[in-house]
Amino acid sequence: MAAVVTLSVVVPMYNEEEVIETTYAKLTEVLEATGESYELVFVNDGSRDRTAAIVRGICGRDARVKLLDFARNFGHQIAVTAGMDHASGRAVVLIDADLQDPPALIPQMLALWREGYDVVYGKRISRQGETWFKKTTAKWFYRTLAAMTSVNIPVDTGDFRLMDRKVCDALSGMRERSRFIRGMVAWAGYRQIGLEYAREERFAGETKYPLRKMVRLSLDAITSFSTKPLKLAGILGFLLSAAGFIYLIVVICQRIFTDTTTAGWTSLIVISLFFHGITLSLLGVLGEYIGRIYEESKRRPLYLVADKLNFEAAQDDSREPREQAPYALRR
């Protein structure tokens, strides 16, 4: 097994060639100053640029740097999971490669960990270099998620955090595919504390979370930690059915007791389209949950590792139980 170090820093990467050398330099500077033993676990999530090649060069000159190179792109949350699976530290820090989350906070996280906290998560008090639209949607997403779930997920937080080894081991035992790491950490419990900071503008390159991926992450978060959409769908369906029945009674009464009748097809068509639209929307909600059940039932690996550098040969490629399929290719 790999030698245990005090701190593992997991860095997921996707097309980060412009920033990765700077990220390595800044992390190394901060970690060296702590005086603790450490390792850097870079996870290449199917990058199409020179990211993997650059990290290979770093691995050649620094044995504390390790590389997991995915067979293809599996997504940010899966890359974070793979890094935690392979980290050997007593504490594990998750941080993105873009330097929006400051490595300088790691010593403060370590200090709080030594005080007895199992999770120290970064809480954003400001977000530099982001559009009004992204800030507003992020704000309302966190508050909507808090209202819809019974799990107390801290608002205005990302994946930037330090976790004790026992927390990482608990997360490694959760193998669901639609992963929302910050929600899973909150669900696990343990002793947690927030550390406020101002999020910086991205150092270089482009965001890896455009609107499409943000919507997908939001759906993963809501469907993973709440069944309220299903309950709301049932309630809405009942209310619409009741409204339709009442409208039917009104039309019948008009026909029997008055000379007034509902003339024309316009209102009928509008109501029909409205009800059909609601029906299809409710089916879409059901489809999201059923699709996730289908994905889980296939029991495919979360990720496949094409190559590994600077990991000890005896280290297993997965924390998955032996009787189940491995979650990485062995070399």
Side-chain angles (χ1 to χ4, degrees):
M1 295 295 293
V4 176
V5 297
T6 299
L7 186 63
S8 298
V9 179
V10 174
V11 187
M13 308 176 297
Y14 180 67
N15 295 342
E16 301 286 5
E17 64 178 4
E18 297 179 47
V19 70
I20 202 64
E21 283 279 9
T22 304
T23 301
Y24 163 71
K26 288 186 176 294
L27 285 172
T28 301
E29 179 183 1
V30 169
L31 295 173
E32 288 281 3
T34 66
E36 303 286 354
S37 58
Y38 70 89
E39 65 178 3
L40 296 176
V41 181
F42 288 93
V43 185
N44 180 41
D45 186 23
S47 297
R48 293 172 294 181
D49 59 6
R50 296 181 58 253
T51 298
I54 293 172
V55 177
R56 287 176 188 276
I58 296 173
C59 288
R61 63 180 188 263
D62 189 345
R64 295 168 299 186
V65 177
K66 303 178 179 182
L67 172 65
L68 286 176
D69 193 7
F70 279 180
R72 64 169 178 83
N73 178 260
F74 286 92
H76 178 269
Q77 299 292 285
I78 300 296
V80 170
T81 299
M84 290 191 293
D85 287 347
H86 289 77
S88 61
R90 294 170 52 214
V92 178
V93 169
L94 309 180
I95 187 170
D96 288 341
D98 55 19
L99 295 177
Q100 286 186 283
D101 301 318
L105 256 62
I106 293 177
Q108 297 179 53
M109 290 180 166
L110 271 172
L112 289 169
W113 173 63
R114 294 196 179 282
E115 289 180 14
Y117 290 99
D118 299 310
V119 178
V120 183
Y121 56 85
K123 182 177 176 63
R124 305 159 181 167
I125 57 175
S126 65
R127 302 162 68 104
Q128 303 298 321
E130 295 183 354
T131 64
W132 173 89
F133 176 78
K134 186 165 185 178
K135 291 178 181 178
T136 302
T137 53
K139 174 183 177 180
W140 285 107
F141 161 69
Y142 284 114
R143 282 139 186 90
T144 301
L145 182 62
M148 296 187 69
T149 65
S150 58
V151 179
N152 184 21
I153 303 175
V155 299
D156 301 325
T157 62
D159 292 325
F160 180 42
R161 63 192 60 225
L162 178 147
M163 297 177 292
D164 187 80
R165 163 54 50 195
K166 61 176 174 283
V167 180
C168 287
D169 288 343
L171 295 183
S172 291
M174 306 176 195
R175 306 310 289 188
E176 61 258 39
R177 303 189 60 81
S178 300
R179 305 180 74 80
F180 185 60
I181 299 297
R182 66 203 75 165
M184 295 166 68
V185 175
W187 178 90
Y190 298 100
R191 193 180 180 197
Q192 306 194 15
I193 189 173
L195 184 61
E196 294 185 342
Y197 72 101
R199 198 173 200 220
E200 300 293 335
E201 188 173 355
R202 184 179 174 86
F203 180 80
E206 299 178 351
T207 178
K208 303 306 183 295
Y209 264 105
L211 181 60
R212 174 179 59 84
K213 289 188 176 181
M214 288 299 298
V215 171
R216 172 52 55 184
L217 182 64
S218 301
L219 288 174
D220 288 343
I222 292 172
T223 55
S224 294
F225 293 94
S226 176
T227 57
K228 283 188 178 180
L230 293 174
K231 296 176 183 178
L232 291 174
I235 294 171
L236 183 58
F238 173 78
L239 292 176
L240 290 175
S241 297
F245 180 76
I246 292 171
Y247 182 71
L248 175 63
I249 297 297
V250 170
V251 171
I252 292 174
C253 290
Q254 284 181 336
R255 183 71 178 87
I256 295 174
F257 299 108
T258 71
D259 295 330
T260 304
T261 58
T262 304
W265 290 92
T266 303
S267 60
L268 181 62
I269 293 299
V270 169
I271 292 173
S272 177
L273 290 175
F274 173 75
F275 276 90
H276 280 90
I278 293 295
T279 301
L280 291 174
S281 298
L282 299 183
L283 287 175
V285 173
L286 292 173
E288 283 292 331
Y289 283 91
I290 293 172
R292 281 160 172 72
I293 295 172
Y294 171 67
E295 289 296 327
E296 295 291 342
S297 69
K298 291 188 288 187
R299 300 182 64 81
R300 289 179 181 171
L302 286 182
Y303 55 86
L304 298 173
V305 177
D307 197 11
K308 299 167 63 175
L309 289 179
N310 286 353
F311 288 92
E312 293 186 10
Q315 183 178 355
D316 196 358
D317 285 330
S318 170
R319 296 184 183 275
E320 202 64 18
R322 291 287 185 178
E323 63 271 16
Q324 298 186 18
Y327 277 79
L329 292 177
R330 289 178 171 79
R331 294 181 65 83

